[in-house]
Amino acid sequence: MYLEIITPEKKVFEGEIQIATFPGQDGSFQVMNNHAPIISLIQEGTVFYKGHGVNDKLEITGGVVEVLDNKTILLADGIKGA
């Protein structure tokens, strides 16, 4: 699965991953390969993503995530501490 994390200022991450966890409005949720298409609001919290040599986390201030055809795009409002 391909993940892009974008803020209004810059692209923070792009690459192949196996799993991502997002802080949703009603609790955290995970996205993996072949996930059903969704668009969801993301609240302030931690995004975890790992796979293919990547194992990272990012503190965001909120945003929107879209999952479609094994491509996940997170439009983050901002990054904490950035």
Side-chain angles (χ1 to χ4, degrees), residues 3-80:
L3 173 66
E4 282 186 78
I5 302 175
I6 304 168
T7 68
E9 292 83 29
K10 64 180 178 177
K11 187 176 289 189
V12 177
F13 174 83
E14 67 176 322
E16 289 290 328
I17 63 162
Q18 292 177 326
I19 190 167
T21 305
F22 299 99
Q25 294 291 320
D26 295 325
S28 66
F29 64 94
Q30 291 184 324
V31 174
M32 298 174 72
N33 276 337
N34 301 315
H35 195 283
I38 62 167
I39 296 176
S40 179
L41 289 174
I42 302 299
Q43 67 181 9
E44 182 176 314
T46 306
V47 174
F48 297 93
Y49 50 98
K50 62 182 171 180
H52 305 291
V54 176
N55 188 3
D56 212 350
K57 64 181 180 179
L58 192 61
E59 295 288 327
I60 63 167
T61 59
V64 176
V65 67
E66 177 188 43
V67 179
L68 182 63
D69 296 329
N70 285 327
K71 183 173 182 180
T72 302
I73 301 173
L74 171 60
L75 302 174
D77 295 335
I79 305 298
K80 286 185 177 180

